[in-house]
Amino acid sequence: MTASNQILFLCTGNYYRSRYAEELFNHLAKAEGLAWRAFSCGAAEQGSPDNVGPMSRFTREALQAKGIVAEGALRNPHPCSLADFDQARIVIALKEAEHRPMIERRFPEVADRILYWHVDDIDCAAPATALPMIDDLVRELISTLK
């Protein structure tokens, strides 16, 4: 794939929100016949020690409830590198207040390319609130790309 049809979703640890957005986007894009694909990374230099396993159980459960088989279910979270930004045409961070400072500190050369959503992490919003927000934002993105 070229950068012209890839989207990078960023959250802090690449464990919960960005993984959900990635899997949901790829499922919906494929169903719509779009040539776009998403991948995801963490904006932090390392994930939280509280993140156990490859993907949050809330992410897995929400995807399963939608009948979506997570393609990256076994992939461990990983922090982003500058090369990840080069691969993506669109870069979306899931929470501006949380991720803008990380990105500006770690990757100032690409900070102006980032689009920001406003979806809180689990410490501020329950999955029952946050994941439906991501659903709506991903569906809106899919509509824009059609």
Side-chain angles (χ1 to χ4, degrees), residues 15 20 52 54-65 68 70 73:
Y15 184 68
Y20 182 75
V52 178
M55 182 184 288
S56 165
R57 74 176 175 90
F58 300 111
T59 298
R60 286 192 322 270
E61 290 168 3
L63 292 169
Q64 288 170 352
I68 298 172

Side-chain angles (χ1 to χ4, degrees), residues 82-122:
L82 199 51
D84 293 313
F85 292 95
D86 292 340
Q87 291 179 23
R89 181 170 175 190
I90 298 170
V91 181
I92 299 170
L94 274 287
K95 178 69 178 181
E96 184 169 14
E98 182 182 347
H99 300 124
R100 182 183 289 274
M102 289 180 204
I103 292 164
E104 288 178 347
R105 180 178 52 80
R106 292 189 66 209
F107 305 104
E109 59 273 38
V110 297
D112 62 341
R113 288 188 49 208
I114 313 302
L115 302 172
Y116 292 96
W117 289 349
H118 304 284
V119 181
D120 286 316
D121 203 349
I122 201 158

Side-chain angles (χ1 to χ4, degrees), residues 2 11 28 31 40-41 57-58 61 80 88 92 114 127 136 139:
T2 64
C11 69
L28 295 174
S40 66
C41 298
R57 74 176 175 90
F58 300 111
E61 290 168 3
C80 61
I92 299 170
I114 313 302
D136 291 344
R139 289 178 191 284

Side-chain angles (χ1 to χ4, degrees), residues 65-86:
K66 290 178 168 23
I68 298 172
V69 176
E71 295 172 7
L74 300 178
R75 174 181 72 79
N76 285 323
H78 62 87
C80 61
S81 68
L82 199 51
D84 293 313
F85 292 95
D86 292 340

Side-chain angles (χ1 to χ4, degrees), residues 5 8 27-28 40 46 48 53-54 64 83 95 125 130 146:
N5 61 356
L8 169 58
H27 176 81
L28 295 174
S40 66
Q46 60 185 13
S48 168
Q64 288 170 352
K95 178 69 178 181
K146 281 204 251 183

